[in-house]
PDB file of all heavy atoms in Angstrom:
ATOM      1  N   HIS A   5      -8.566 -21.876  -7.500  1.00 97.00           N
ATOM      2  CA  HIS A   5      -8.363 -20.470  -7.286  1.00 97.00           C
ATOM      3  C   HIS A   5      -7.038 -19.971  -7.862  1.00 97.00           C
ATOM      4  O   HIS A   5      -6.794 -18.756  -7.835  1.00 97.00           O
ATOM      5  CB  HIS A   5      -8.455 -20.184  -5.794  1.00 97.00           C
ATOM      6  CG  HIS A   5      -9.780 -20.492  -5.239  1.00 97.00           C
ATOM      7  ND1 HIS A   5     -10.914 -19.770  -5.467  1.00 97.00           N
ATOM      8  CD2 HIS A   5     -10.175 -21.548  -4.420  1.00 97.00           C
ATOM      9  CE1 HIS A   5     -11.989 -20.300  -4.861  1.00 97.00           C
ATOM     10  NE2 HIS A   5     -11.520 -21.399  -4.269  1.00 97.00           N
ATOM     11  N   ALA A   6      -6.136 -20.860  -8.357  1.00 98.00           N
ATOM     12  CA  ALA A   6      -4.897 -20.412  -8.914  1.00 98.00           C
ATOM     13  C   ALA A   6      -5.132 -19.484 -10.065  1.00 98.00           C
ATOM     14  O   ALA A   6      -4.387 -18.473 -10.342  1.00 98.00           O
ATOM     15  CB  ALA A   6      -4.081 -21.616  -9.384  1.00 98.00           C
ATOM     16  N   ARG A   7      -6.277 -19.634 -10.792  1.00 98.00           N
ATOM     17  CA  ARG A   7      -6.571 -18.792 -11.928  1.00 98.00           C
ATOM     18  C   ARG A   7      -6.848 -17.343 -11.562  1.00 98.00           C
ATOM     19  O   ARG A   7      -6.875 -16.497 -12.412  1.00 98.00           O
ATOM     20  CB  ARG A   7      -7.815 -19.383 -12.694  1.00 98.00           C
ATOM     21  CG  ARG A   7      -9.082 -19.392 -11.862  1.00 98.00           C
ATOM     22  CD  ARG A   7     -10.143 -20.288 -12.527  1.00 98.00           C
ATOM     23  NE  ARG A   7      -9.774 -21.714 -12.538  1.00 98.00           N
ATOM     24  CZ  ARG A   7     -10.566 -22.639 -13.061  1.00 98.00           C
ATOM     25  NH1 ARG A   7     -11.724 -22.396 -13.606  1.00 98.00           N
ATOM     26  NH2 ARG A   7     -10.159 -23.900 -12.970  1.00 98.00           N
ATOM     27  N   SER A   8      -7.090 -17.090 -10.302  1.00 98.00           N
ATOM     28  CA  SER A   8      -7.286 -15.692  -9.886  1.00 98.00           C
ATOM     29  C   SER A   8      -5.934 -15.077  -9.469  1.00 98.00           C
ATOM     30  O   SER A   8      -5.870 -13.857  -9.212  1.00 98.00           O
ATOM     31  CB  SER A   8      -8.254 -15.658  -8.654  1.00 98.00           C
ATOM     32  OG  SER A   8      -7.680 -16.144  -7.462  1.00 98.00           O
ATOM     33  N   MET A   9      -4.881 -15.854  -9.457  1.00 98.00           N
ATOM     34  CA  MET A   9      -3.558 -15.379  -9.075  1.00 98.00           C
ATOM     35  C   MET A   9      -2.589 -15.418 -10.253  1.00 98.00           C
ATOM     36  O   MET A   9      -1.702 -14.583 -10.307  1.00 98.00           O
ATOM     37  CB  MET A   9      -2.992 -16.216  -7.924  1.00 98.00           C
ATOM     38  CG  MET A   9      -1.696 -15.749  -7.333  1.00 98.00           C
ATOM     39  SD  MET A   9      -1.191 -16.666  -5.827  1.00 98.00           S
ATOM     40  CE  MET A   9      -0.421 -18.139  -6.554  1.00 98.00           C
ATOM     41  N   VAL A  10      -2.763 -16.390 -11.164  1.00 98.00           N
ATOM     42  CA  VAL A  10      -1.851 -16.549 -12.318  1.00 98.00           C
ATOM     43  C   VAL A  10      -2.715 -17.015 -13.476  1.00 98.00           C
ATOM     44  O   VAL A  10      -3.520 -17.903 -13.352  1.00 98.00           O
ATOM     45  CB  VAL A  10      -0.824 -17.679 -11.991  1.00 98.00           C
ATOM     46  CG1 VAL A  10       0.150 -17.813 -13.144  1.00 98.00           C
ATOM     47  CG2 VAL A  10      -0.115 -17.477 -10.695  1.00 98.00           C
ATOM     48  N   PRO A  11      -2.506 -16.441 -14.733  1.00 98.00           N
ATOM     49  CA  PRO A  11      -3.114 -17.043 -15.899  1.00 98.00           C
ATOM     50  C   PRO A  11      -2.501 -18.405 -16.132  1.00 98.00           C
ATOM     51  O   PRO A  11      -1.281 -18.472 -16.383  1.00 98.00           O
ATOM     52  CB  PRO A  11      -2.808 -16.018 -16.972  1.00 98.00           C
ATOM     53  CG  PRO A  11      -1.602 -15.312 -16.511  1.00 98.00           C
ATOM     54  CD  PRO A  11      -1.643 -15.305 -14.984  1.00 98.00           C
ATOM     55  N   CYS A  12      -3.272 -19.429 -16.133  1.00 98.00           N
ATOM     56  CA  CYS A  12      -2.673 -20.806 -16.154  1.00 98.00           C
ATOM     57  C   CYS A  12      -3.715 -21.774 -16.659  1.00 98.00           C
ATOM     58  O   CYS A  12      -4.887 -21.493 -16.808  1.00 98.00           O
ATOM     59  CB  CYS A  12      -2.196 -21.182 -14.762  1.00 98.00           C
ATOM     60  SG  CYS A  12      -3.499 -21.235 -13.514  1.00 98.00           S
ATOM     61  N   GLN A  13      -3.237 -23.017 -16.822  1.00 98.00           N
ATOM     62  CA  GLN A  13      -4.153 -24.159 -17.077  1.00 98.00           C
ATOM     63  C   GLN A  13      -4.487 -24.753 -15.716  1.00 98.00           C
ATOM     64  O   GLN A  13      -3.743 -25.571 -15.200  1.00 98.00           O
ATOM     65  CB  GLN A  13      -3.470 -25.131 -18.008  1.00 98.00           C
ATOM     66  CG  GLN A  13      -3.278 -24.561 -19.420  1.00 98.00           C
ATOM     67  CD  GLN A  13      -2.621 -25.448 -20.405  1.00 98.00           C
ATOM     68  OE1 GLN A  13      -1.740 -26.263 -20.053  1.00 98.00           O
ATOM     69  NE2 GLN A  13      -3.042 -25.411 -21.618  1.00 98.00           N
ATOM     70  N   ASP A  14      -5.548 -24.225 -15.163  1.00 98.00           N
ATOM     71  CA  ASP A  14      -5.898 -24.537 -13.752  1.00 98.00           C
ATOM     72  C   ASP A  14      -6.635 -25.837 -13.643  1.00 98.00           C
ATOM     73  O   ASP A  14      -7.836 -25.881 -13.179  1.00 98.00           O
ATOM     74  CB  ASP A  14      -6.682 -23.357 -13.189  1.00 98.00           C
ATOM     75  CG  ASP A  14      -6.701 -23.361 -11.652  1.00 98.00           C
ATOM     76  OD1 ASP A  14      -5.888 -24.092 -11.022  1.00 98.00           O
ATOM     77  OD2 ASP A  14      -7.529 -22.576 -11.054  1.00 98.00           O
ATOM     78  N   THR A  15      -5.972 -26.915 -14.029  1.00 98.00           N
ATOM     79  CA  THR A  15      -6.563 -28.270 -13.916  1.00 98.00           C
ATOM     80  C   THR A  15      -5.474 -29.204 -13.393  1.00 98.00           C
ATOM     81  O   THR A  15      -4.323 -29.065 -13.805  1.00 98.00           O
ATOM     82  CB  THR A  15      -7.032 -28.779 -15.299  1.00 98.00           C
ATOM     83  OG1 THR A  15      -7.335 -30.202 -15.243  1.00 98.00           O
ATOM     84  CG2 THR A  15      -6.009 -28.542 -16.415  1.00 98.00           C
ATOM     85  N   PRO A  16      -5.827 -30.080 -12.468  1.00 98.00           N
ATOM     86  CA  PRO A  16      -4.774 -31.002 -11.952  1.00 98.00           C
ATOM     87  C   PRO A  16      -4.343 -32.007 -13.000  1.00 98.00           C
ATOM     88  O   PRO A  16      -3.379 -32.799 -12.752  1.00 98.00           O
ATOM     89  CB  PRO A  16      -5.477 -31.671 -10.760  1.00 98.00           C
ATOM     90  CG  PRO A  16      -6.930 -31.530 -10.991  1.00 98.00           C
ATOM     91  CD  PRO A  16      -7.074 -30.210 -11.738  1.00 98.00           C
ATOM     92  N   SER A  17      -5.052 -32.096 -14.121  1.00 97.00           N
ATOM     93  CA  SER A  17      -4.619 -33.066 -15.160  1.00 97.00           C
ATOM     94  C   SER A  17      -3.318 -32.658 -15.821  1.00 97.00           C
ATOM     95  O   SER A  17      -2.687 -33.454 -16.474  1.00 97.00           O
ATOM     96  CB  SER A  17      -5.741 -33.138 -16.249  1.00 97.00           C
ATOM     97  OG  SER A  17      -5.873 -31.905 -16.941  1.00 97.00           O
ATOM     98  N   SER A  18      -2.906 -31.384 -15.659  1.00 97.00           N
ATOM     99  CA  SER A  18      -1.676 -30.896 -16.295  1.00 97.00           C
ATOM    100  C   SER A  18      -0.728 -30.409 -15.194  1.00 97.00           C
ATOM    101  O   SER A  18      -1.116 -29.678 -14.322  1.00 97.00           O
ATOM    102  CB  SER A  18      -1.983 -29.762 -17.231  1.00 97.00           C
ATOM    103  OG  SER A  18      -0.830 -29.327 -17.900  1.00 97.00           O
ATOM    104  N   LYS A  19       0.543 -30.846 -15.273  1.00 98.00           N
ATOM    105  CA  LYS A  19       1.506 -30.493 -14.287  1.00 98.00           C
ATOM    106  C   LYS A  19       2.594 -29.556 -14.884  1.00 98.00           C
ATOM    107  O   LYS A  19       2.947 -29.737 -16.087  1.00 98.00           O
ATOM    108  CB  LYS A  19       2.164 -31.676 -13.605  1.00 98.00           C
ATOM    109  CG  LYS A  19       1.196 -32.477 -12.742  1.00 98.00           C
ATOM    110  CD  LYS A  19       1.849 -33.569 -11.947  1.00 98.00           C
ATOM    111  CE  LYS A  19       0.922 -34.214 -10.899  1.00 98.00           C
ATOM    112  NZ  LYS A  19       1.621 -35.162 -10.061  1.00 98.00           N
ATOM    113  N   ILE A  20       3.112 -28.701 -14.035  1.00 98.00           N
ATOM    114  CA  ILE A  20       4.166 -27.756 -14.531  1.00 98.00           C
ATOM    115  C   ILE A  20       5.255 -27.703 -13.537  1.00 98.00           C
ATOM    116  O   ILE A  20       5.088 -28.054 -12.340  1.00 98.00           O
ATOM    117  CB  ILE A  20       3.593 -26.313 -14.623  1.00 98.00           C
ATOM    118  CG1 ILE A  20       2.982 -25.846 -13.289  1.00 98.00           C
ATOM    119  CG2 ILE A  20       2.512 -26.219 -15.739  1.00 98.00           C
ATOM    120  CD1 ILE A  20       2.859 -24.386 -13.122  1.00 98.00           C
ATOM    121  N   THR A  21       6.427 -27.240 -13.965  1.00 98.00           N
ATOM    122  CA  THR A  21       7.430 -26.766 -13.044  1.00 98.00           C
ATOM    123  C   THR A  21       7.283 -25.239 -13.015  1.00 98.00           C
ATOM    124  O   THR A  21       6.695 -24.629 -13.916  1.00 98.00           O
ATOM    125  CB  THR A  21       8.871 -27.152 -13.522  1.00 98.00           C
ATOM    126  OG1 THR A  21       9.058 -26.649 -14.866  1.00 98.00           O
ATOM    127  CG2 THR A  21       9.056 -28.681 -13.510  1.00 98.00           C
ATOM    128  N   TYR A  22       7.870 -24.585 -11.998  1.00 98.00           N
ATOM    129  CA  TYR A  22       7.742 -23.131 -11.979  1.00 98.00           C
ATOM    130  C   TYR A  22       8.924 -22.512 -11.273  1.00 98.00           C
ATOM    131  O   TYR A  22       9.651 -23.185 -10.520  1.00 98.00           O
ATOM    132  CB  TYR A  22       6.410 -22.674 -11.321  1.00 98.00           C
ATOM    133  CG  TYR A  22       6.327 -22.489  -9.873  1.00 98.00           C
ATOM    134  CD1 TYR A  22       6.589 -21.282  -9.269  1.00 98.00           C
ATOM    135  CD2 TYR A  22       5.847 -23.564  -9.095  1.00 98.00           C
ATOM    136  CE1 TYR A  22       6.455 -21.103  -7.919  1.00 98.00           C
ATOM    137  CE2 TYR A  22       5.697 -23.387  -7.688  1.00 98.00           C
ATOM    138  CZ  TYR A  22       6.046 -22.147  -7.111  1.00 98.00           C
ATOM    139  OH  TYR A  22       5.941 -21.961  -5.752  1.00 98.00           O
ATOM    140  N   SER A  23       9.147 -21.238 -11.576  1.00 98.00           N
ATOM    141  CA  SER A  23      10.162 -20.387 -10.868  1.00 98.00           C
ATOM    142  C   SER A  23       9.558 -19.103 -10.650  1.00 98.00           C
ATOM    143  O   SER A  23       8.523 -18.725 -11.199  1.00 98.00           O
ATOM    144  CB  SER A  23      11.439 -20.391 -11.764  1.00 98.00           C
ATOM    145  OG  SER A  23      11.151 -19.904 -13.049  1.00 98.00           O
ATOM    146  N   ALA A  24      10.194 -18.297  -9.844  1.00 97.00           N
ATOM    147  CA  ALA A  24       9.611 -16.995  -9.467  1.00 97.00           C
ATOM    148  C   ALA A  24      10.663 -16.002  -8.979  1.00 97.00           C
ATOM    149  O   ALA A  24      11.666 -16.404  -8.388  1.00 97.00           O
ATOM    150  CB  ALA A  24       8.516 -17.108  -8.445  1.00 97.00           C
ATOM    151  N   GLU A  25      10.399 -14.717  -9.303  1.00 97.00           N
ATOM    152  CA  GLU A  25      11.181 -13.609  -8.715  1.00 97.00           C
ATOM    153  C   GLU A  25      10.146 -12.653  -8.209  1.00 97.00           C
ATOM    154  O   GLU A  25       9.373 -12.060  -8.975  1.00 97.00           O
ATOM    155  CB  GLU A  25      12.070 -12.995  -9.740  1.00 97.00           C
ATOM    156  CG  GLU A  25      12.955 -11.863  -9.173  1.00 97.00           C
ATOM    157  CD  GLU A  25      13.936 -11.303 -10.222  1.00 97.00           C
ATOM    158  OE1 GLU A  25      13.485 -10.605 -11.122  1.00 97.00           O
ATOM    159  OE2 GLU A  25      15.122 -11.550 -10.094  1.00 97.00           O
ATOM    160  N   ILE A  26      10.090 -12.557  -6.867  1.00 97.00           N
ATOM    161  CA  ILE A  26       9.071 -11.759  -6.182  1.00 97.00           C
ATOM    162  C   ILE A  26       9.653 -10.545  -5.524  1.00 97.00           C
ATOM    163  O   ILE A  26      10.629 -10.616  -4.760  1.00 97.00           O
ATOM    164  CB  ILE A  26       8.307 -12.611  -5.131  1.00 97.00           C
ATOM    165  CG1 ILE A  26       7.845 -13.922  -5.721  1.00 97.00           C
ATOM    166  CG2 ILE A  26       7.181 -11.809  -4.514  1.00 97.00           C
ATOM    167  CD1 ILE A  26       6.848 -13.799  -6.841  1.00 97.00           C
ATOM    168  N   SER A  27       9.120  -9.362  -5.843  1.00 96.00           N
ATOM    169  CA  SER A  27       9.506  -8.178  -5.164  1.00 96.00           C
ATOM    170  C   SER A  27       8.561  -7.833  -4.028  1.00 96.00           C
ATOM    171  O   SER A  27       7.332  -7.761  -4.260  1.00 96.00           O
ATOM    172  CB  SER A  27       9.555  -7.017  -6.175  1.00 96.00           C
ATOM    173  OG  SER A  27       9.765  -5.746  -5.530  1.00 96.00           O
ATOM    174  N   ALA A  28       9.086  -7.571  -2.831  1.00 97.00           N
ATOM    175  CA  ALA A  28       8.255  -7.360  -1.648  1.00 97.00           C
ATOM    176  C   ALA A  28       8.946  -6.368  -0.735  1.00 97.00           C
ATOM    177  O   ALA A  28      10.195  -6.189  -0.791  1.00 97.00           O
ATOM    178  CB  ALA A  28       7.935  -8.674  -0.919  1.00 97.00           C
ATOM    179  N   PRO A  29       8.231  -5.721   0.195  1.00 97.00           N
ATOM    180  CA  PRO A  29       8.862  -4.799   1.114  1.00 97.00           C
ATOM    181  C   PRO A  29      10.044  -5.423   1.821  1.00 97.00           C
ATOM    182  O   PRO A  29       9.982  -6.588   2.246  1.00 97.00           O
ATOM    183  CB  PRO A  29       7.687  -4.450   2.112  1.00 97.00           C
ATOM    184  CG  PRO A  29       6.482  -4.628   1.259  1.00 97.00           C
ATOM    185  CD  PRO A  29       6.765  -5.764   0.317  1.00 97.00           C
ATOM    186  N   GLU A  30      11.075  -4.630   2.058  1.00 95.00           N
ATOM    187  CA  GLU A  30      12.337  -5.098   2.670  1.00 95.00           C
ATOM    188  C   GLU A  30      12.151  -5.779   4.003  1.00 95.00           C
ATOM    189  O   GLU A  30      12.935  -6.730   4.322  1.00 95.00           O
ATOM    190  CB  GLU A  30      13.379  -3.977   2.731  1.00 95.00           C
ATOM    191  CG  GLU A  30      13.943  -3.434   1.403  1.00 95.00           C
ATOM    192  CD  GLU A  30      14.869  -2.314   1.624  1.00 95.00           C
ATOM    193  OE1 GLU A  30      14.599  -1.420   2.466  1.00 95.00           O
ATOM    194  OE2 GLU A  30      15.928  -2.294   0.865  1.00 95.00           O
ATOM    195  N   ALA A  31      11.246  -5.302   4.831  1.00 95.00           N
ATOM    196  CA  ALA A  31      11.136  -5.847   6.157  1.00 95.00           C
ATOM    197  C   ALA A  31      10.429  -7.258   6.209  1.00 95.00           C
ATOM    198  O   ALA A  31      10.415  -7.870   7.253  1.00 95.00           O
ATOM    199  CB  ALA A  31      10.302  -4.841   7.028  1.00 95.00           C
ATOM    200  N   LEU A  32       9.953  -7.670   5.058  1.00 97.00           N
ATOM    201  CA  LEU A  32       9.145  -8.887   5.033  1.00 97.00           C
ATOM    202  C   LEU A  32       9.855 -10.047   4.452  1.00 97.00           C
ATOM    203  O   LEU A  32      10.756  -9.870   3.586  1.00 97.00           O
ATOM    204  CB  LEU A  32       7.807  -8.631   4.349  1.00 97.00           C
ATOM    205  CG  LEU A  32       6.956  -7.505   4.867  1.00 97.00           C
ATOM    206  CD1 LEU A  32       5.621  -7.352   4.169  1.00 97.00           C
ATOM    207  CD2 LEU A  32       6.715  -7.631   6.375  1.00 97.00           C
ATOM    208  N   VAL A  33       9.467 -11.261   4.783  1.00 97.00           N
ATOM    209  CA  VAL A  33       9.951 -12.493   4.212  1.00 97.00           C
ATOM    210  C   VAL A  33       8.967 -13.030   3.225  1.00 97.00           C
ATOM    211  O   VAL A  33       7.743 -12.974   3.451  1.00 97.00           O
ATOM    212  CB  VAL A  33      10.204 -13.523   5.357  1.00 97.00           C
ATOM    213  CG1 VAL A  33      10.542 -14.904   4.776  1.00 97.00           C
ATOM    214  CG2 VAL A  33      11.273 -13.082   6.308  1.00 97.00           C
ATOM    215  N   VAL A  34       9.462 -13.553   2.103  1.00 98.00           N
ATOM    216  CA  VAL A  34       8.604 -14.185   1.098  1.00 98.00           C
ATOM    217  C   VAL A  34       8.906 -15.704   1.138  1.00 98.00           C
ATOM    218  O   VAL A  34      10.062 -16.105   1.100  1.00 98.00           O
ATOM    219  CB  VAL A  34       8.823 -13.638  -0.315  1.00 98.00           C
ATOM    220  CG1 VAL A  34       7.967 -14.343  -1.354  1.00 98.00           C
ATOM    221  CG2 VAL A  34       8.529 -12.100  -0.321  1.00 98.00           C
ATOM    222  N   LEU A  35       7.848 -16.452   1.143  1.00 98.00           N
ATOM    223  CA  LEU A  35       7.968 -17.933   1.070  1.00 98.00           C
ATOM    224  C   LEU A  35       7.119 -18.412  -0.050  1.00 98.00           C
ATOM    225  O   LEU A  35       6.035 -17.856  -0.334  1.00 98.00           O
ATOM    226  CB  LEU A  35       7.565 -18.601   2.366  1.00 98.00           C
ATOM    227  CG  LEU A  35       8.348 -18.222   3.593  1.00 98.00           C
ATOM    228  CD1 LEU A  35       7.663 -18.825   4.857  1.00 98.00           C
ATOM    229  CD2 LEU A  35       9.776 -18.660   3.537  1.00 98.00           C
ATOM    230  N   MET A  36       7.543 -19.499  -0.742  1.00 98.00           N
ATOM    231  CA  MET A  36       6.685 -20.041  -1.779  1.00 98.00           C
ATOM    232  C   MET A  36       6.816 -21.576  -1.732  1.00 98.00           C
ATOM    233  O   MET A  36       7.682 -22.126  -1.040  1.00 98.00           O
ATOM    234  CB  MET A  36       7.139 -19.595  -3.190  1.00 98.00           C
ATOM    235  CG  MET A  36       6.856 -18.115  -3.451  1.00 98.00           C
ATOM    236  SD  MET A  36       6.996 -17.601  -5.187  1.00 98.00           S
ATOM    237  CE  MET A  36       5.441 -18.196  -5.801  1.00 98.00           C
ATOM    238  N   SER A  37       5.942 -22.238  -2.485  1.00 98.00           N
ATOM    239  CA  SER A  37       5.892 -23.732  -2.517  1.00 98.00           C
ATOM    240  C   SER A  37       7.049 -24.180  -3.433  1.00 98.00           C
ATOM    241  O   SER A  37       6.765 -24.914  -4.406  1.00 98.00           O
ATOM    242  CB  SER A  37       4.538 -24.179  -2.999  1.00 98.00           C
ATOM    243  OG  SER A  37       4.219 -23.594  -4.241  1.00 98.00           O
ATOM    244  N   ALA A  38       8.215 -23.819  -3.094  1.00 98.00           N
ATOM    245  CA  ALA A  38       9.422 -24.081  -3.960  1.00 98.00           C
ATOM    246  C   ALA A  38      10.637 -23.898  -3.122  1.00 98.00           C
ATOM    247  O   ALA A  38      10.613 -23.485  -1.960  1.00 98.00           O
ATOM    248  CB  ALA A  38       9.388 -23.107  -5.149  1.00 98.00           C
ATOM    249  N   LEU A  39      11.792 -24.206  -3.732  1.00 98.00           N
ATOM    250  CA  LEU A  39      13.086 -24.058  -3.064  1.00 98.00           C
ATOM    251  C   LEU A  39      13.576 -22.625  -3.297  1.00 98.00           C
ATOM    252  O   LEU A  39      13.418 -22.067  -4.403  1.00 98.00           O
ATOM    253  CB  LEU A  39      14.067 -25.027  -3.624  1.00 98.00           C
ATOM    254  CG  LEU A  39      13.690 -26.513  -3.503  1.00 98.00           C
ATOM    255  CD1 LEU A  39      14.664 -27.361  -4.329  1.00 98.00           C
ATOM    256  CD2 LEU A  39      13.676 -26.891  -2.031  1.00 98.00           C
ATOM    257  N   GLN A  40      14.182 -22.011  -2.266  1.00 95.00           N
ATOM    258  CA  GLN A  40      14.791 -20.730  -2.480  1.00 95.00           C
ATOM    259  C   GLN A  40      15.958 -20.824  -3.423  1.00 95.00           C
ATOM    260  O   GLN A  40      16.672 -21.837  -3.428  1.00 95.00           O
ATOM    261  CB  GLN A  40      15.238 -20.157  -1.117  1.00 95.00           C
ATOM    262  CG  GLN A  40      14.106 -19.903  -0.199  1.00 95.00           C
ATOM    263  CD  GLN A  40      14.493 -19.077   1.063  1.00 95.00           C
ATOM    264  OE1 GLN A  40      15.466 -18.371   1.034  1.00 95.00           O
ATOM    265  NE2 GLN A  40      13.655 -19.207   2.084  1.00 95.00           N
ATOM    266  N   ASP A  41      16.080 -19.798  -4.325  1.00 92.00           N
ATOM    267  CA  ASP A  41      17.022 -19.962  -5.444  1.00 92.00           C
ATOM    268  C   ASP A  41      17.662 -18.578  -5.732  1.00 92.00           C
ATOM    269  O   ASP A  41      17.292 -17.905  -6.658  1.00 92.00           O
ATOM    270  CB  ASP A  41      16.260 -20.458  -6.660  1.00 92.00           C
ATOM    271  CG  ASP A  41      17.191 -20.652  -7.879  1.00 92.00           C
ATOM    272  OD1 ASP A  41      18.411 -20.856  -7.687  1.00 92.00           O
ATOM    273  OD2 ASP A  41      16.638 -20.504  -9.022  1.00 92.00           O
ATOM    274  N   GLU A  42      18.608 -18.238  -4.941  1.00 79.00           N
ATOM    275  CA  GLU A  42      19.331 -16.972  -5.160  1.00 79.00           C
ATOM    276  C   GLU A  42      20.022 -16.906  -6.524  1.00 79.00           C
ATOM    277  O   GLU A  42      20.217 -15.778  -7.053  1.00 79.00           O
ATOM    278  CB  GLU A  42      20.288 -16.671  -3.990  1.00 79.00           C
ATOM    279  CG  GLU A  42      19.609 -16.347  -2.650  1.00 79.00           C
ATOM    280  CD  GLU A  42      18.550 -15.296  -2.797  1.00 79.00           C
ATOM    281  OE1 GLU A  42      18.824 -14.216  -3.312  1.00 79.00           O
ATOM    282  OE2 GLU A  42      17.364 -15.562  -2.426  1.00 79.00           O
ATOM    283  N   ALA A  43      20.392 -18.018  -7.038  1.00 76.00           N
ATOM    284  CA  ALA A  43      21.071 -18.040  -8.360  1.00 76.00           C
ATOM    285  C   ALA A  43      20.100 -17.632  -9.460  1.00 76.00           C
ATOM    286  O   ALA A  43      20.526 -17.287 -10.608  1.00 76.00           O
ATOM    287  CB  ALA A  43      21.612 -19.383  -8.635  1.00 76.00           C
ATOM    288  N   GLY A  44      18.766 -17.663  -9.189  1.00 69.00           N
ATOM    289  CA  GLY A  44      17.855 -17.298 -10.219  1.00 69.00           C
ATOM    290  C   GLY A  44      17.528 -15.773 -10.317  1.00 69.00           C
ATOM    291  O   GLY A  44      16.625 -15.367 -11.056  1.00 69.00           O
ATOM    292  N   ARG A  45      18.277 -14.953  -9.516  1.00 73.00           N
ATOM    293  CA  ARG A  45      18.009 -13.573  -9.570  1.00 73.00           C
ATOM    294  C   ARG A  45      18.335 -12.886 -10.933  1.00 73.00           C
ATOM    295  O   ARG A  45      19.329 -13.164 -11.510  1.00 73.00           O
ATOM    296  CB  ARG A  45      18.816 -12.889  -8.436  1.00 73.00           C
ATOM    297  CG  ARG A  45      18.526 -11.381  -8.259  1.00 73.00           C
ATOM    298  CD  ARG A  45      19.302 -10.839  -7.117  1.00 73.00           C
ATOM    299  NE  ARG A  45      19.138 -11.564  -5.877  1.00 73.00           N
ATOM    300  CZ  ARG A  45      18.108 -11.470  -5.125  1.00 73.00           C
ATOM    301  NH1 ARG A  45      17.076 -10.781  -5.470  1.00 73.00           N
ATOM    302  NH2 ARG A  45      18.022 -12.225  -4.028  1.00 73.00           N
ATOM    303  N   SER A  46      17.439 -12.045 -11.390  1.00 72.00           N
ATOM    304  CA  SER A  46      17.683 -11.324 -12.626  1.00 72.00           C
ATOM    305  C   SER A  46      18.603 -10.135 -12.449  1.00 72.00           C
ATOM    306  O   SER A  46      18.991  -9.802 -11.303  1.00 72.00           O
ATOM    307  CB  SER A  46      16.355 -10.859 -13.250  1.00 72.00           C
ATOM    308  OG  SER A  46      15.853  -9.808 -12.423  1.00 72.00           O
ATOM    309  N   LEU A  47      18.918  -9.409 -13.488  1.00 69.00           N
ATOM    310  CA  LEU A  47      19.738  -8.223 -13.425  1.00 69.00           C
ATOM    311  C   LEU A  47      18.888  -6.971 -13.131  1.00 69.00           C
ATOM    312  O   LEU A  47      19.433  -5.915 -12.946  1.00 69.00           O
ATOM    313  CB  LEU A  47      20.504  -8.027 -14.700  1.00 69.00           C
ATOM    314  CG  LEU A  47      21.495  -9.119 -15.112  1.00 69.00           C
ATOM    315  CD1 LEU A  47      22.110  -8.838 -16.475  1.00 69.00           C
ATOM    316  CD2 LEU A  47      22.549  -9.313 -14.024  1.00 69.00           C
ATOM    317  N   ASN A  48      17.556  -7.188 -12.997  1.00 76.00           N
ATOM    318  CA  ASN A  48      16.696  -5.993 -12.723  1.00 76.00           C
ATOM    319  C   ASN A  48      16.928  -5.526 -11.322  1.00 76.00           C
ATOM    320  O   ASN A  48      17.316  -6.313 -10.400  1.00 76.00           O
ATOM    321  CB  ASN A  48      15.198  -6.421 -12.914  1.00 76.00           C
ATOM    322  CG  ASN A  48      14.915  -6.818 -14.331  1.00 76.00           C
ATOM    323  OD1 ASN A  48      15.543  -6.279 -15.240  1.00 76.00           O
ATOM    324  ND2 ASN A  48      14.001  -7.767 -14.461  1.00 76.00           N
ATOM    325  N   SER A  49      16.610  -4.261 -11.065  1.00 75.00           N
ATOM    326  CA  SER A  49      16.744  -3.692  -9.709  1.00 75.00           C
ATOM    327  C   SER A  49      15.381  -3.568  -9.093  1.00 75.00           C
ATOM    328  O   SER A  49      14.437  -3.170  -9.819  1.00 75.00           O
ATOM    329  CB  SER A  49      17.437  -2.315  -9.780  1.00 75.00           C
ATOM    330  OG  SER A  49      18.725  -2.396 -10.290  1.00 75.00           O
ATOM    331  N   PRO A  50      15.221  -3.988  -7.857  1.00 80.00           N
ATOM    332  CA  PRO A  50      13.861  -3.837  -7.231  1.00 80.00           C
ATOM    333  C   PRO A  50      13.579  -2.328  -6.988  1.00 80.00           C
ATOM    334  O   PRO A  50      14.510  -1.496  -6.932  1.00 80.00           O
ATOM    335  CB  PRO A  50      14.045  -4.539  -5.897  1.00 80.00           C
ATOM    336  CG  PRO A  50      15.506  -4.472  -5.624  1.00 80.00           C
ATOM    337  CD  PRO A  50      16.182  -4.493  -6.940  1.00 80.00           C
TER     338      PRO A  50
END
């Protein structure tokens, strides 16, 4: 089902690293299958 969320090679035969910058409503918390990384913030404004 990853292919319905991200265009990707959706096969366990291939492994990737990933990073993300997610914009969400201020009142909510975002969690991902990754480490939080404030240093990865872009210069874009939400």
Side-chain angles (χ1 to χ4, degrees):
H5 301 287
R7 64 193 66 181
S8 74
M9 187 172 82
V10 183
C12 62
Q13 294 180 322
D14 198 12
T15 168
S17 66
S18 183
K19 292 189 172 185
I20 59 159
T21 55
Y22 86 91
S23 53
E25 183 175 71
I26 309 296
S27 171
E30 286 179 322
L32 304 183
V33 171
V34 178
L35 300 172
M36 293 194 77
S37 53
L39 301 170
Q40 295 191 22
D41 181 27
E42 290 309 306
R45 187 177 306 283
S46 71
L47 298 178
N48 298 326
S49 298

